Amino acid sequence: MNRGTKTHSISRRVIISFCLFALLMSAVFSFMSFLFLFAVEDEFLERDLHAERGKLIAAHELMGAWPEPGPGHMTVYHGVEALPGDMRDQYKQEPERREFYGEEGRHYHLAHMAGGAFLVAEVSDRLLIRPLRGTIVSTFLVLTTLLTAVGCLIAYRLARQSIAPLSELATFVEGAVPEKLPNDFSGHYPPNEVGILAKALEKSLQRIGLFIKREQNFNRDVSHDLRTPIAVVSGSVEVLKKRYTLEPPVAELVDRIDIANRHMASTVEALLSLAREEGANRFSEKIKVLPVLEKTVLQFSHLLEGKEVEVLVDVAPDASLKLQQGVLEILLGNLLGNAFEYSEKGVVRIGFDKNTLTISDTGGGVDEQMRDVRFEEKVKSGDSSGFGLGLSIVKRVCDHHGIGIHVDHQPGGTEICLDFDKTEVKAVETESRLS
């Protein structure tokens, strides 16, 4: 797993979601239960009130007057102004209202009767739920807390049981190395979605293992089949130059063959390095930068013949990197080869400071229309003698080994910076994983 990538725990999200759901359901249930209790109490009070109203209306029809209500808590009021003072103003403001809260805890229920009369029940001493509101709310809060806690506990156990095999599988696969890919491990996981994923990963790793084996065979064959003809061409060119006096047109062709062959040799080495299924910087020791740099400058010095180009090197003798020497040679070979080839005059500067290698030239820079695709394969300028793979290979090597690369296109040339700060950390991580 990439340590620099922020991860989100599925288990944590499941637990949080389940807890929130349990809290929501408990709160809704408590609220509805609270409303239900009040509604039931009001229904009983209203039923008694309307039952008495029916009796009074029947008596009124017989006698022509309103008799006294049977229950002592009910009273007939003739007109709005006759209503109790602590509910009269409320009724005037809300004439459709049937329930009123009076002073000193009094509670009224009202029913309309004929002739502007009202039947009012003062039910303060008959209320059971409202006096216990605080206790009921506290009880529901406790129940909500308990139900939420139980829901969270269930979610935790469920998440642990469900996600643990997946986390174990992720850790297991993360620890796999190309040299020793795991095999026949899916049977250790439960026969569910995790088991299906394990089987799919097992098949994928088996295919990867076959691919690595083919690549290793390919590397071995390429090492022999390509290096041999490149060495033959190089030797033949050297013999032609030393033993024969070549006419200018022929000498130019031989030089082009020599340059192309050197490009081919560098490209083959780079491609072989990238094709190997070895960990980046595996078991690499610290190497001195200056000797490798001097060797590369001499190797490509033929590209500066006949040019007014000065090479300035600002690298301390003790400057070192934890990197494979071949990797540094590939990077320097491609970058210095480009700098030397495209610089017709001026200065090529090479510096190393604070783990950063800087190469700048006065070769005119990269065409503006090519800058967005400069790291893609087969992208090259019209006067290039290479194959358009140089910067593409450099970028792939940098990505493979955790080397930062920055290209600054200036009016009079190009500056490329390689940041090696992360290569040592990556090497330590790789060695720890492979050991």
Side-chain angles (χ1 to χ4, degrees):
M1 183 183 295
N2 188 345
R3 297 299 188 273
T5 303
K6 185 178 180 179
T7 59
H8 301 276
S9 171
I10 298 178
S11 177
R12 185 180 300 111
R13 294 179 66 178
V14 169
I15 294 173
I16 292 175
S17 299
F18 204 94
C19 289
L20 291 176
F21 177 77
L23 176 61
L24 177 62
M25 290 297 98
S26 301
V28 170
F29 175 78
S30 298
F31 180 72
M32 297 302 295
S33 299
F34 190 75
L35 292 181
F36 175 77
L37 292 175
F38 276 84
V40 169
E41 183 176 59
D42 285 340
E43 179 64 24
F44 279 106
L45 295 175
E46 287 289 323
R47 184 177 298 179
D48 291 342
L49 181 67
H50 284 280
E52 184 63 24
R53 175 177 175 272
K55 294 178 182 179
L56 293 176
I57 292 175
H60 182 270
E61 292 176 352
L62 291 175
M63 298 183 298
W66 294 109
E68 289 294 327
H73 65 285
M74 296 184 186
T75 306
V76 176
Y77 294 94
H78 303 278
V80 175
E81 296 301 328
L83 292 172
D86 53 359
M87 67 171 289
R88 183 189 312 121
D89 293 336
Q90 299 180 54
Y91 179 82
K92 289 180 179 180
Q93 295 177 2
E94 301 177 69
E96 300 299 324
R97 187 171 173 181
R98 297 294 177 266
E99 184 178 354
F100 302 88
Y101 292 92
E103 298 174 355
E104 298 179 357
R106 287 188 290 272
H107 192 80
Y108 302 98
H109 279 253
L110 177 147
H112 288 270
M113 295 193 298
F118 303 95
L119 177 63
V120 177
E122 203 285 301
V123 295
S124 304
D125 57 347
R126 295 176 177 269
L127 296 177
L128 298 177
I129 303 302
R130 285 170 175 80
L132 299 176
R133 279 182 297 188
T135 303
I136 294 173
V137 170
S138 301
T139 302
F140 281 148
L141 286 176
V142 172
L143 289 176
T144 299
T145 303
L146 290 176
L147 289 174
T148 303
V150 171
C152 292
L153 178 61
I154 294 174
Y156 175 77
R157 292 178 61 86
L158 181 63
R160 286 290 299 270
Q161 293 175 0
S162 302
I163 305 301
L166 186 60
S167 301
E168 179 185 345
L169 178 61
T171 304
F172 180 77
V173 174
E174 182 184 10
V177 294
E179 293 78 7
K180 191 177 180 181
L181 292 177
N183 191 19
D184 192 23
F185 59 86
S186 60
H188 300 290
Y189 294 91
N192 52 23
E193 288 81 355
V194 177
I196 294 173
L197 176 61
K199 289 181 180 179
L201 287 173
E202 183 178 283
K203 291 180 180 179
S204 297
L205 290 176
Q206 289 173 353
R207 289 196 295 269
I208 292 173
L210 293 175
F211 171 77
I212 292 175
K213 187 174 182 180
R214 288 197 301 270
E215 287 298 303
Q216 290 173 341
N217 293 336
F218 171 79
N219 291 344
R220 181 191 60 210
D221 296 339
V222 167
S223 298
H224 180 270
D225 295 341
L226 287 184
R227 288 174 176 172
T228 299
I230 289 174
V232 171
V233 173
S234 179
S236 299
V237 169
E238 186 176 354
V239 170
L240 285 174
K241 288 182 176 181
K242 287 185 177 180
R243 295 188 180 181
Y244 300 95
T245 303
L246 304 177
E247 297 296 327
V250 177
E252 182 178 347
L253 290 175
V254 171
D255 286 339
R256 291 180 62 185
I257 292 173
D258 188 22
I259 293 173
N261 192 59
R262 291 173 184 269
H263 274 296
M264 177 63 78
S266 176
T267 301
V268 168
E269 290 297 328
L271 293 177
L272 287 176
S273 173
L274 291 174
R276 294 188 186 102
E277 292 294 335
E278 298 174 355
N281 301 332
R282 184 183 178 188
F283 307 124
S284 55
E285 301 292 337
K286 286 233 176 188
I287 58 169
K288 298 289 186 181
V289 176
L290 189 58
V292 180
L293 177 59
E294 291 174 340
K295 174 184 175 182
T296 308
V297 170
L298 291 176
Q299 180 182 353
F300 290 90
S301 60
H302 63 282
L303 297 175
L304 297 177
E305 292 179 0
K307 298 180 181 180
E308 297 180 0
V309 177
E310 183 181 7
V311 179
L312 298 179
V313 179
D314 183 16
V315 179
D318 59 345
S320 60
L321 287 171
K322 190 172 181 63
L323 191 71
Q324 293 172 337
Q325 181 170 327
V327 173
L328 185 57
E329 290 176 351
I330 291 170
L331 295 174
L332 290 175
N334 281 280
L335 296 178
L336 289 181
N338 286 342
F340 289 176
E341 180 176 356
Y342 295 117
S343 296
E344 296 298 326
K345 62 180 179 179
V347 180
V348 175
R349 289 185 171 85
I350 309 167
F352 185 82
D353 183 47
K354 296 180 179 179
N355 239 21
T356 299
L357 178 67
T358 303
I359 299 175
S360 62
D361 60 53
T362 53
V366 178
D367 294 339
E368 186 172 351
Q369 62 270 23
M370 295 173 55
R371 291 179 181 178
D372 293 336
V373 295
R374 61 183 179 268
F375 290 125
E376 296 183 8
E377 295 181 1
K378 299 182 181 179
V379 175
K380 63 176 183 176
S381 60
D383 56 348
S384 173
S385 62
F387 304 102
L389 298 176
L391 282 180
S392 171
I393 290 173
V394 169
K395 183 64 167 62
R396 289 173 60 192
V397 170
C398 289
D399 291 344
H400 187 65
H401 294 274
I403 302 170
I405 179 170
H406 174 73
V407 181
D408 183 15
H409 301 289
Q410 301 172 351
T414 301
E415 181 180 88
I416 298 180
C417 298
L418 300 181
D419 183 3
F420 295 90
D421 277 338
K422 296 181 180 179
T423 56
E424 188 163 336
V425 175
K426 187 170 183 179
V428 172
E429 290 179 352
T430 303
E431 292 178 17
S432 175
R433 189 173 67 251
L434 295 176
S435 60

